[in-house]
Amino acid sequence: MSEMADSEIADRRIVQLRKHLLSAPQAQQSTQLEAAPCAVNRSLPRFDATFMEHYLDTDRGLKEEVYDLFKQHPELLYAVEEGMTKEQHRDFVRKQLRVILSSGYSPMSFFMKDHKKYFYMAELLALVDLSLTVKMGVQYSLWGGSVMNLGTERHKKQYFDAIDKFKIPGCFCMTELGHGSNVAALQTECVLDTTTDEWIVNTPDDSAIKWWIGNAAEDGKMGTVFARLKVPAPDGSGALDDHGVHAFIVPLRDEESQCFPGVEIKDCGYKVGLQGVDNGAMRFTNVRIPRDNLLDRFATVDRGGKYSSPYSPSRRFAATLGELTGGRVGLTCGSLGVLKGAVTITVRYGAQRQQFGPAEGREVAVLDYTSQQLKLMPMLATCYALHFTAAFLVEQYTQAKRTKEEELVADVHSLSAGLKAYTTQYTAQALSICRECCGGHGYAAVNRFGALRSDHDIFQTFEGDNTVLLQQVAAMLLKRYKEKFSGNPLGATWGYLRQMARDSLPPNPLVSHDTQPSHLRDPAFLVKTLRYRTARLLHTVAMRLRKHTRKLGAFQAWNKCLNHLLELARAHVEAVMLTNILEGANKCEDLDARKSIKAMADLFALQRIQQDILFRNDDYVAPEKAKAIKRMIEKLCSELRGVCCPLVDAFAIPDFILRAPIGLSTAAKDPYAAYLQSIGWD
């Protein structure tokens, strides 16, 4: 085709578009906003949103109790977070926490004995105020959890009630100015003085100043300080034996909130978000604490300075950090709560917001545009996949805490790391997409995207930087890969690696070219395909690491393969997510609701297949099949468009908790009433 012909076609298209843009507004004569149905949308059967709500929510009683508490205290639900100073927001969060405690809730009991309730509260409170969620996480998961899980019975008896009732607000003093993820390299030190039977806590240099410590700037009375345990060498030379990083209880302030001698604390100031959490920095100068303040579940030191541990140094360190897994589970649930809220606001807004339409017809809802569907329907599907997978993680965590089974504990440690990284990164990206999908109205502070985005962003960093956590998942996969060839049994989460060798073989050409819809939506095909990707990535990165380690050494080889390892970890998490959403669909007793969950599972898997070049490079998916997958994705998006409103309604987030005028449940009837009221118009 000639350049002239191309130019003529382009000119004709511009003329047609101009006519469309000029004529569309004139065709809209009615002052009543009314969405026109989009003929291209194919809908799944409608289902009862209340049934889906009950199916998703296994503890509706707790949700109703917690949300009713804030319904009774509307003064604790701000309209616009951005208008508060950090001091005002911190005071606001304290009031929220005290209302929860005064109503009889025992967060520490939940954390120790009823894990499902504790983690569900993290999800519920995320849309009340993320600063509240994080402050409670610091007090109970981190400060309380470290004392309860790293200490012994005497520590539990001494501190449980005071921590639970917030009588001893506490800190988790791990991160330092110079070290965050590399916990083993922390420099704060605790040296035993055998003459007084005390530890002497010191910050040896500025890089060892504890930094970003939650609860520290204003509230913290005590803290679990992670420091290098040093005792006099037994040979009497005066040298010190360094036994690595351990946890110690260190008093910080007296009853008048004055710092104890040798403790210096500064406010870290304004942050990008979470202004309601009082983060601080602290330095120690010859602070003396009793020898018994060592949290000694995994290691003890006697009066004479003799150090004892039933574990090797690496095993003890791993056991110490392993007991902090609950924090990652809580962040996963809190991040999921944010994602549910953002998707709810955006879907409801898109379903009633109208822009353009046929020249002689009414304007259509923006959610009827295929571009909008391709942004939001896969997001809704991923949200459901994360819901079912987070529930699986909480169940596994609960079982691991109960049984102490070593294999299961390892599974939970890895899955919590991977799912925390995946969920928080996905939610952070989704918040920006949701804001954009709501146009200029998404930019209004009252519609919450700005505050949620700012407050949630740090979820990708604390409780383990996401890149570091994904490497832990990859390392565990490589360990399991090695164990497979040693004949050792594999845990449930890793069981599919038994098929790794077979699944890594060249694909069947008939399957590679199969474009039938029944095949593309076959759970066996979808599950095997995502597992093939994980197996393939695992096999190839193992070979690369072996090759490069011989030449470069282990560290440089790992660094050279780092991006490959991160892809592997994400692929594994997505394979686990698909398994869980498919199981969620199979267990759903309502046939119509099940069809919607199955459609979301298919969309979730097919989009991952479409987006990963690996399947084309390996000839696992032939060109014509790739095109068929693209068409199927668009078809599923169109079908889910018809049920997306009841799908978000099933999250059952009350309007007074959601608090975004453009996304309330009343928006379908009167889309702008609450929005107008927010700026003073009745």
Side-chain angles (χ1 to χ4, degrees), residues 210-436:
K210 296 296 182 181
W211 205 269
W212 291 129
I213 308 303
N215 271 353
E218 296 182 6
D219 291 339
K221 295 288 197 299
M222 304 186 90
T224 297
V225 174
F226 287 81
R228 311 196 72 79
L229 185 155
K230 298 183 178 182
V231 295
D235 60 8
S237 64
L240 294 173
D241 286 346
D242 185 343
H243 290 282
V245 175
H246 290 64
F248 302 81
I249 295 177
V250 179
L252 303 174
R253 291 185 175 95
D254 60 24
E255 291 302 316
E256 283 70 45
S257 295
Q258 298 300 308
C259 289
F260 285 114
V263 178
E264 184 181 2
I265 300 177
K266 299 292 185 182
D267 194 324
C268 285
Y270 279 94
K271 309 180 289 289
V272 171
L274 295 178
Q275 308 301 348
V277 181
D278 54 318
N279 293 91
M282 60 180 69
R283 178 159 48 194
F284 304 103
T285 304
N286 295 325
V287 176
R288 289 180 172 268
I289 58 174
R291 179 172 54 85
D292 287 346
N293 280 27
L294 168 67
L295 293 173
D296 55 355
R297 177 181 171 188
F298 298 117
T300 60
V301 176
D302 67 15
R303 180 70 175 78
K306 182 181 178 183
Y307 178 90
S308 302
S309 176
Y311 305 100
S312 67
S314 60
R315 181 82 181 276
R316 178 201 58 75
F317 184 69
T320 299
L321 297 186
E323 286 299 328
L324 307 176
T325 297
R328 294 170 186 167
V329 180
L331 284 183
T332 300
C333 295
S335 184
L336 176 60
V338 172
L339 180 61
K340 287 180 178 179
V343 173
T344 298
I345 295 167
T346 311
V347 165
R348 285 177 177 170
Y349 175 79
Q352 60 81 20
R353 174 70 170 181
Q354 301 155 50
Q355 292 291 289
F356 305 111
E360 302 302 326
R362 297 174 295 179
E363 289 187 301
V364 300
V366 295
L367 203 49
D368 286 330
Y369 289 97
T370 55
S371 59
Q372 199 84 337
Q373 292 171 12
L374 194 58
K375 292 177 183 177
L376 294 179
M377 296 306 102
M379 186 187 297
L380 179 59
T382 303
C383 187
Y384 265 76
L386 287 170
H387 169 88
F388 288 111
T389 310
F392 170 73
L393 172 61
V394 170
E395 184 63 43
Q396 294 290 94
Y397 177 88
T398 301
Q399 186 177 342
K401 280 292 185 181
R402 184 177 65 252
T403 65
K404 312 293 184 185
E405 183 184 336
E406 189 172 337
E407 193 75 25
L408 182 57
V409 169
D411 276 10
V412 169
H413 175 75
S414 180
L415 182 57
S416 66
L419 198 60
K420 180 269 182 185
Y422 190 96
T423 305
T424 56
Q425 182 179 42
Y426 188 88
T427 298
Q429 295 168 346
L431 283 165
S432 288
I433 294 171
C434 286
R435 204 293 301 157
E436 293 166 13

Side-chain angles (χ1 to χ4, degrees), residues 71-313:
K71 190 175 184 179
Q72 295 172 23
H73 292 274
E75 74 280 3
L76 297 181
L77 295 169
Y78 50 74
V80 177
E81 176 182 323
E82 288 86 345
M84 291 186 283
T85 65
K86 70 180 190 299
E87 289 78 16
Q88 289 171 330
H89 199 170
R90 291 171 182 177
D91 188 54
F92 203 83
V93 169
R94 289 187 199 98
K95 291 176 181 176
Q96 291 172 326
L97 178 54
R98 289 184 183 119
V99 163
I100 291 173
L101 297 176
S102 64
S103 298
Y105 288 99
S106 173
M108 203 68 243
S109 294
F110 284 171
F111 183 78
M112 295 299 295
K113 301 173 184 177
D114 197 336
H115 308 105
K116 292 181 182 179
K117 274 188 167 57
Y118 182 82
F119 295 130
Y120 193 33
M121 281 193 75
E123 178 183 330
L124 295 176
L125 295 175
L127 287 174
V128 173
D129 188 337
L130 267 182
S131 286
L132 172 63
T133 305
V134 171
K135 191 170 185 73
M136 289 184 67
V138 170
Q139 177 68 13
Y140 301 111
S141 293
L142 298 180
W143 157 235
S146 60
V147 173
M148 300 303 133
N149 291 324
L150 302 182
T152 51
E153 284 303 316
R154 59 187 170 82
H155 296 115
K156 296 176 185 179
K157 291 178 181 178
Q158 184 175 353
Y159 293 108
F160 183 93
D161 287 340
I163 293 174
D164 186 43
K165 294 178 173 59
F166 203 61
K167 291 181 178 178
I168 301 182
C171 306
F172 185 79
C173 309
M174 178 178 282
T175 300
E176 295 178 354
L177 182 61
H179 288 93
S181 299
N182 189 6
V183 178
L186 296 179
Q187 295 302 304
T188 302
E189 58 185 25
C190 278
V191 178
L192 184 66
D193 182 348
T194 55
T195 61
T196 62
D197 201 25
E198 293 174 317
W199 298 103
I200 305 174
V201 190
N202 271 295
T203 301
D205 54 50
D206 285 351
S207 70
I209 294 172
K210 296 296 182 181
W211 205 269
W212 291 129
I213 308 303
N215 271 353
E218 296 182 6
D219 291 339
K221 295 288 197 299
M222 304 186 90
T224 297
V225 174
F226 287 81
R228 311 196 72 79
L229 185 155
K230 298 183 178 182
V231 295
D235 60 8
S237 64
L240 294 173
D241 286 346
D242 185 343
H243 290 282
V245 175
H246 290 64
F248 302 81
I249 295 177
V250 179
L252 303 174
R253 291 185 175 95
D254 60 24
E255 291 302 316
E256 283 70 45
S257 295
Q258 298 300 308
C259 289
F260 285 114
V263 178
E264 184 181 2
I265 300 177
K266 299 292 185 182
D267 194 324
C268 285
Y270 279 94
K271 309 180 289 289
V272 171
L274 295 178
Q275 308 301 348
V277 181
D278 54 318
N279 293 91
M282 60 180 69
R283 178 159 48 194
F284 304 103
T285 304
N286 295 325
V287 176
R288 289 180 172 268
I289 58 174
R291 179 172 54 85
D292 287 346
N293 280 27
L294 168 67
L295 293 173
D296 55 355
R297 177 181 171 188
F298 298 117
T300 60
V301 176
D302 67 15
R303 180 70 175 78
K306 182 181 178 183
Y307 178 90
S308 302
S309 176
Y311 305 100
S312 67

